[in-house]
Amino acid sequence: MQLTMFQRWWLPGAVALILLALLVGLPLIALIVSTSDLNLQTTLNNTYYKRVIWFSFYQALISAVLSVGLAIPLAQALSREQKFLGRQMLINLFSLSLVIPTIVAIFGIVAVFGRTGWLNSAIGQLGFEPFSIYGLSGILIAHVFFNLPLATRVLLQSLDNIPHEQWRLSTQLRMPGLAQFKYVEWPAMRTQLIGVFMVIFTLCFTSFTIVMTLGGGPRATTVEVAIYQALRFDFDINTAVSLAIAQLVFCTALLLASALFKHDASIGFSYKPVEHLYRPTSTHRWRNRLLILLGTLFVVTPLLGMIMSAINPASIKVLTHTNTVQATINTVIIAIVTAFLSVGIGVSLLISSRHLRIRAQKHNLGQWIQHAGNIILVMPPVVLGTGLFLLLRNVADVFSIALVLTIIINSLMALPFVLRILDGPLMQAANHHDKLIQSLGISGWSRWRLLDWPLIRKPMGFALGIAATLAAGDFSAIALFGSERATTLPLLLFQRIGSYRLHEAATTAGILLVVCLILFTAMQSMTSRTIFWRSHAKD
Amino acid sequence: MLKIDKLKLQLGTNSYCYQLHANASHTTAILGKSGSGKSTLLNLIAGFLQPESGSISWNNQSLIGLSANQRPVTTLFQQHNLFMHLNVEQNIGLGISPDLKLTNNDYENIHRSLDEVGMAGYAKNRTANLSGGEQQRVALARCLLRKQPILLLDEPFSALDEHTRHEMIHLTRKVISDYKLCAILVTHNEDDADLLIATKHLLRDGILTQQAAGIANKNH
């Protein structure tokens, strides 16, 4: 039987757009409507909030400068050192920071850089005063931990794209290392630099979990955290709305600024090495190795710290505790529903966008429909949460529907990743075969079953895995709406860190990591079997 | 007979006007430089583009308004003729049934068409493992099985090596003759047209003009 849903190209996109309009548009309207009752200027002129806004930009700027600045020599060293044991694994590990729950990684960072962490213990042995990870320094360390690997991967890819002929030429011309950097490597990296800087700046500007756990107080609070505090602690709706509107404006400006700089942040999670002809001198080799060692230690030690502390005397008690079990169940439910909702919306947008872009030759309109899925980049989770709170507070107890609201916010958070992963495979097949598909009259369900699904099933499994992992590890949405009645593992972990039950927190972090890994693997394996089309062929 | 009368289309700053009559059991070659509008003509005949005015008809039945899969047309493209994740049999089967619900009779026909293009025994082969020439043969087998009277050849030989190209052209010529097809070849290589014993038309500045028959018809 033919399903009309796939014959009508506009229908999936229309359904997805209506859903997005309801989930994002209505909260946005609720935000805007509520501004009529308040004086935005009064809140934004308040010295405290002025400082909060200034700090949001300041920490984002330093985080981005440090991440990109350190990534340049690290990417160069990794590019120049083509053969060392574990290179491939290390580069793949650099992608892990994209999927490891932020709050889990923070626990690892605290295990290394915290007051009683490995580094401070070592410094103490040498007779120095321990340094505090809480405040700007901790925020910067955590932001660099997450974004240095991202920047390194982007820059390494641009170095890998340098044509072999340029390496051969530089060798023939006997260019010294510095000249090679200046004339071969730097021009390649420069094209990506502003783009990756803007991406990292925006990520750090809207960072919530890191600032919540390592920052706070008047000296280290960002707009995102200030909105949360106004809403959850001060019950000051006016301030929350004023800050949310300000954040909306800042994020729109940042997104527009990012769009001005062309960049390719489509970094995959698997890395294919590219060999080039650079032969470093022994001095350069030592320098490269030292940089790689430091980079590895910086990324790996927090993960090791987290894993090593996960098994401790409190583990059994934590594992069997009712709160842990309930939080784990909630986390898994949120992750699975989010993954399917996000991928469903993503595929629907892409199917309609594909028709417009390729068959109807209305490229811009198709692109805009697809970009609608990136709305969360303009309206960060805490801002969206504020809008949902305003919208629903008079019709429902928002805290009793915390899991539903968390699923909505998490689905929208995962959507840009889903679109990025699925866009390529769906468009490539259509680009190559659209005329053939038209002439053979393959449409609707047959097209999906025979042509789209076989090509998209692996990326779709990956998209489901990423969406589920992001949702399982997200803290921002549940922080707004969570309560004793509705807890997830990230919220439980935050509460246990906050009450200094560090053994319990360590085990909770371990459980969350294992849940994420299981979800990621399970989602990928769900689509790994070849089904549908083979059943009709005689083998 | 395929009749194209005052068929006009504007694409951006380029305007095209086509006038063409083509008979069954014969190949009509459209020659011209890149960007001259050769493929645009095929897209109009196949129904991938809609004209602004003029008519296209086959045996006095208008094709205007019919969708691509409703037209009595089958196309052999330059590349991407096959779906790489489907095997040879499935790729051909799509020409008979767009949802691949094939009967035993369909499978017999698939095997027969493979035999005709010299690909007997390849039914279960993975498409990705075939050479460029073999892939074009499989695509031609699907064209045959679709039993459409108009065969559009969109530079189908240009990506093949010299030997394979000659083989493929001779096979196509045989098929056009055996099945009494009305073939329209688009190419920038005049040699392809000569080998197919085609009537040659030149497309210049968006206008189609017929070349002298003496130059066009060479026997090989």
Side-chain angles (χ1 to χ4, degrees):
Chain A
M1 192 183 78
Q2 293 283 308
L3 290 187
T4 51
M5 180 178 165
F6 291 100
Q7 286 174 324
R8 295 178 183 160
W9 64 267
W10 52 269
L11 191 61
V15 171
L17 286 175
I18 289 169
L19 203 59
L20 285 176
L22 289 173
L23 299 180
V24 181
L26 291 180
L28 181 64
I29 290 167
L31 266 177
I32 292 168
V33 167
S34 60
T35 55
S36 58
D37 303 332
L38 53 94
N39 191 344
L40 266 171
Q41 218 166 1
T42 311
T43 309
L44 299 179
N45 276 336
N46 177 303
T47 318
Y48 176 74
Y49 293 117
K50 267 187 182 171
R51 188 176 168 78
V52 164
I53 293 168
W54 178 83
F55 181 76
S56 302
F57 281 100
Y58 178 68
Q59 59 83 25
L61 180 71
I62 301 184
S63 300
V65 167
L66 283 174
S67 301
V68 176
L70 293 171
I72 293 170
L74 186 56
Q76 188 203 33
L78 279 167
S79 165
R80 290 181 169 193
E81 292 300 318
Q82 296 280 312
K83 284 173 188 165
F84 65 86
L85 192 67
R87 181 179 187 269
Q88 177 84 22
M89 204 169 81
L90 176 67
I91 294 167
N92 286 340
L93 193 72
F94 277 12
S95 306
L96 264 185
S97 63
L98 296 175
V99 287
I100 285 180
T102 313
I103 197 152
V104 171
I106 288 169
F107 190 83
I109 290 167
V110 172
V112 176
F113 299 98
R115 184 160 281 272
T116 55
W118 298 347
L119 193 67
N120 265 330
S121 302
I123 287 173
Q125 297 275 325
L126 296 171
F128 293 102
E129 279 291 303
F131 69 90
S132 171
I133 197 175
Y134 296 100
L136 180 63
S137 56
I139 292 170
L140 294 180
I141 289 173
H143 279 164
V144 174
F145 170 82
F146 278 101
N147 295 307
L148 172 66
L150 171 73
T152 305
R153 282 290 304 266
V154 173
L155 297 181
L156 182 61
Q157 189 155 307
S158 64
L159 290 173
D160 283 347
N161 289 340
I162 294 172
H164 280 226
E165 290 76 9
Q166 283 197 17
W167 288 114
R168 291 193 182 114
L169 196 63
S170 69
T171 312
Q172 271 186 355
L173 297 174
R174 294 182 186 174
M175 281 188 188
L178 192 65
Q180 230 161 11
F181 174 73
K182 192 175 169 187
Y183 298 114
V184 181
E185 292 166 320
W186 176 247
M189 285 198 275
R190 198 178 52 194
T191 56
Q192 299 289 340
L193 225 49
I194 299 175
V196 76
F197 178 89
M198 287 304 295
V199 168
I200 292 172
F201 184 91
T202 310
L203 286 172
C204 296
F205 184 78
T206 55
S207 166
F208 176 76
T209 311
I210 288 170
V211 183
M212 265 287 280
T213 40
L214 299 176
R219 295 176 66 84
T221 296
T222 56
V223 179
E224 293 270 307
V225 175
I227 295 170
Y228 164 81
Q229 285 165 344
L231 211 60
R232 283 303 302 256
F233 293 129
D234 308 332
F235 304 106
D236 182 353
I237 305 261
N238 288 351
T239 302
V241 170
S242 304
L243 291 171
I245 293 288
Q247 185 74 335
L248 203 66
V249 173
F250 294 145
C251 289
T252 309
L254 284 173
L255 198 71
L256 290 174
S258 295
L260 289 177
F261 303 104
K262 266 190 163 183
H263 61 92
D264 178 22
S266 58
I267 294 301
F269 284 75
S270 62
Y271 172 77
K272 282 184 184 165
V274 178
E275 202 167 335
H276 62 65
L277 298 169
Y278 175 74
R279 297 284 175 268
T281 61
S282 60
T283 320
H284 285 146
R285 181 145 276 170
W286 279 110
R287 173 194 154 273
N288 293 340
R289 286 175 180 175
L290 182 67
L291 281 167
I292 292 166
L293 179 70
L294 290 173
T296 309
L297 284 174
F298 184 67
V299 175
V300 170
T301 45
L303 298 177
L304 278 178
M306 195 282 300
I307 291 166
M308 285 169 70
S309 58
I311 298 168
N312 57 56
S315 295
I316 300 292
K317 186 185 138 203
V318 173
L319 278 167
T320 52
H321 198 282
T322 326
N323 285 355
T324 312
V325 174
Q326 191 54 52
T328 307
I329 292 169
N330 287 345
T331 303
V332 171
I333 291 170
I334 287 173
I336 292 173
V337 179
T338 295
F340 282 98
L341 184 59
S342 192
V343 169
I345 297 173
V347 170
S348 301
L349 287 174
L350 286 171
I351 284 176
S352 297
S353 166
R354 176 177 70 179
H355 182 96
L356 285 166
R357 283 155 71 181
I358 293 171
R359 195 166 292 183
Q361 295 290 308
K362 290 179 177 156
H363 196 263
N364 287 343
L365 183 59
Q367 284 281 13
W368 275 110
I369 286 180
Q370 192 176 329
H371 286 326
N374 294 328
I375 190 76
I376 200 75
L377 301 178
V378 177
M379 202 167 170
V382 176
V383 178
L384 178 61
T386 310
L388 284 167
F389 180 86
L390 291 171
L391 186 73
L392 299 170
R393 65 181 165 151
N394 293 328
V395 289
D397 172 14
V398 287
F399 300 107
S400 68
I401 53 167
L403 297 189
V404 176
L405 297 177
T406 305
I407 286 169
I408 291 171
I409 295 173
N410 285 342
S411 302
L412 296 171
M413 283 169 71
L415 200 49
F417 290 91
V418 169
L419 289 170
R420 190 136 218 158
I421 294 165
L422 298 181
D423 178 48
L426 265 175
M427 295 303 157
Q428 192 187 12
N431 267 326
H432 287 165
H433 293 119
D434 194 58
K435 283 179 184 167
L436 182 62
I437 290 165
Q438 278 188 74
S439 65
L440 295 175
I442 307 169
S443 63
W445 180 241
S446 295
R447 177 171 180 173
W448 173 258
R449 182 173 59 87
L450 297 168
L451 307 182
D452 289 334
W453 174 250
L455 297 176
I456 206 183
R457 65 190 173 90
K458 274 190 181 168
M460 189 186 269
F462 183 57
L464 283 168
I466 290 286
T469 315
L470 279 174
D474 177 58
F475 174 62
S476 53
I478 197 70
L480 273 181
F481 300 110
S483 64
E484 287 296 314
R485 287 174 290 164
T487 315
T488 62
L489 285 171
L491 183 59
L492 200 62
L493 177 54
F494 178 75
Q495 287 165 350
R496 286 173 176 168
I497 293 174
S499 55
Y500 297 100
R501 287 179 287 167
L502 292 183
H503 278 319
E504 291 178 31
T507 305
T508 313
I511 296 168
L512 180 52
L513 197 62
V514 170
V515 165
C516 286
L517 287 174
I518 291 172
L519 281 166
F520 189 68
T521 314
M523 289 288 169
Q524 281 200 296
S525 65
M526 262 176 59
T527 59
S528 64
R529 281 176 304 149
T530 312
I531 49 172
F532 294 125
W533 57 270
R534 220 172 232 178
S535 58
H536 292 299
K538 274 182 159 185
D539 283 325
Chain B
M1 175 185 267
L2 176 72
K3 277 188 185 173
I4 295 174
D5 280 319
K6 293 174 187 162
L7 196 68
K8 288 185 180 171
L9 180 70
Q10 180 88 29
L11 285 177
T13 54
N14 299 324
S15 55
Y16 303 100
C17 181
Y18 302 104
Q19 182 88 24
L20 181 75
H21 290 186
N23 291 318
S25 305
H26 189 75
T27 303
T28 303
I30 313 294
L31 301 161
K33 292 177 188 168
S34 294
S36 61
K38 303 189 298 289
S39 292
T40 304
L41 174 61
L42 290 198
N43 288 339
L44 284 163
I45 299 170
F48 304 135
L49 286 174
Q50 298 303 323
E52 282 153 14
S53 62
S55 68
I56 312 173
S57 65
W58 170 250
N59 290 344
N60 297 322
Q61 296 281 316
S62 173
L63 304 186
I64 302 287
L66 295 179
S67 64
N69 62 312
Q70 290 172 324
R71 298 190 179 203
V73 173
T74 188
T75 309
L76 192 60
F77 298 99
Q78 182 182 354
Q79 53 183 354
H80 305 307
N81 275 296
L82 304 179
F83 300 104
M84 291 298 160
H85 63 280
L86 301 178
N87 67 22
V88 167
E89 188 177 67
Q90 289 164 332
N91 263 292
I92 299 176
L94 280 173
I96 312 170
S97 165
D99 56 5
L100 264 189
K101 287 177 180 163
L102 302 171
T103 63
N104 284 337
N105 192 35
D106 290 333
Y107 284 109
E108 280 172 24
N109 288 334
I110 290 169
H111 287 245
R112 202 171 300 131
S113 68
L114 275 173
D115 199 16
E116 277 192 67
V117 297
M119 293 289 287
Y122 280 77
K124 303 290 182 197
N125 277 42
R126 280 176 59 82
T127 318
N129 295 341
L130 301 180
S131 69
E134 287 169 339
Q135 287 182 15
Q136 290 301 70
R137 282 169 185 264
V138 172
L140 186 62
R142 185 175 57 212
C143 288
L144 296 183
L145 210 55
R146 293 193 70 208
K147 295 193 172 106
Q148 302 292 359
I150 304 169
L151 174 64
L152 303 182
L153 301 164
D154 192 357
E155 303 199 40
F157 317 117
S158 58
L160 304 177
D161 65 65
E162 196 59 21
H163 176 71
T164 315
R165 183 173 141 260
H166 276 261
E167 271 187 4
M168 190 65 197
I169 289 175
H170 285 289
L171 176 65
T172 309
R173 195 170 77 183
K174 180 178 179 299
V175 160
I176 291 167
S177 165
D178 290 354
Y179 284 78
K180 297 184 172 50
L181 299 174
C182 169
I184 311 287
L185 168 73
V186 150
T187 183
H188 58 266
N189 186 348
E190 204 168 341
D191 199 31
D192 288 355
D194 291 337
L195 288 168
L196 277 174
I197 318 173
T199 306
K200 291 187 277 190
H201 293 254
L202 191 65
L203 194 58
R204 189 182 290 158
D205 300 329
I207 309 287
L208 202 56
T209 52
Q210 186 158 0
Q211 285 192 329
I215 303 168
N217 295 324
K218 285 185 198 171
N219 274 322
H220 287 265

